[in-house]
Amino acid sequence: MKKALLLLLILALCLTGCSHEPAAPSYQFDDLSIQIPEDYINLSDEEFAEGLSFVFGLDPIAINGLREEKATFQAHGLELDLQAYGKLLLKSNNVSTQLTEKDGIPTFTYTSGDFTYVVTLWETEEAFWTVQAYCPTADYSKVKGDIWEILSSVTV
């Protein structure tokens, strides 16, 4: 009887505890942290990534982040909060969509050419962050859950 109970307990533990996937590795960039799955390739050192804080990719998704110092805007007489920063991004990139919130995260989604972009905005004491993911529009409906899981893992 004890052996049967022990086997049931082990089976129950394996069915509930052994099936969990490990958390994605967390990467720290200045004052922002993001969890990106292990199989994504860090492309941050590639020439095309120049000017970006980080770039990761795994077909068909690319993830990148850009940190912009608040002092840069202040030097031009702009005192921005996160909403104003988002509206400035939309206007300066000629994106005709609305800034919304998803799970409390300022975000916007747009399509340009054959790609769909999901952009999230973050604010720290000294900077604004734009963290975005993009993929071919044809693949977006299949990967939008994966994209949001990565983008919503950001902490500042």
Side-chain angles (χ1 to χ4, degrees):
M1 180 69 170
K2 286 184 182 181
K3 285 184 182 181
L5 286 174
L6 182 59
L7 287 174
L8 282 174
L9 179 61
I10 291 171
L11 180 62
L13 286 172
C14 283
L15 289 176
T16 59
C18 299
S19 63
H20 296 293
E21 291 183 30
S26 185
Y27 295 89
Q28 185 74 37
F29 303 97
D30 296 313
D31 45 6
L32 178 138
S33 176
I34 185 170
Q35 290 184 334
I36 298 178
E38 281 183 64
D39 46 354
Y40 277 67
I41 300 166
N42 187 342
L43 302 166
S44 301
D45 293 331
E46 298 295 325
E47 188 175 323
F48 65 83
E50 189 174 329
L52 295 169
S53 300
F54 62 86
V55 179
F56 287 83
L58 179 67
D59 191 28
I61 301 170
I63 308 282
N64 67 46
L66 174 65
R67 184 178 198 266
E68 295 190 275
E69 297 290 330
K70 289 181 178 180
T72 302
F73 296 103
Q74 292 165 347
H76 295 285
L78 296 172
E79 290 293 332
L80 302 174
D81 63 12
L82 192 55
Q83 292 295 318
Y85 172 71
K87 289 177 183 177
L88 181 65
L89 277 179
L90 290 169
K91 184 177 180 180
S92 64
N93 289 294
N94 202 25
V95 175
S96 59
T97 190
Q98 295 295 314
L99 184 61
T100 62
E101 280 198 12
K102 181 174 180 181
D103 300 333
I105 302 166
T107 185
F108 59 91
T109 302
Y110 68 98
T111 299
S112 178
D114 294 333
F115 289 86
T116 296
Y117 298 80
V118 180
V119 182
T120 58
L121 307 176
W122 306 86
E123 182 177 15
T124 66
E125 189 173 319
E126 297 178 0
F128 295 111
W129 280 90
T130 304
V131 180
Q132 71 176 357
Y134 54 97
C135 67
T137 299
D139 295 322
Y140 179 64
S141 64
K142 292 181 280 189
V143 297
K144 65 182 178 182
D146 297 332
I147 285 174
W148 189 252
E149 185 175 344
I150 295 168
L151 293 178
S152 65
S153 75
V154 169
T155 57
V156 290

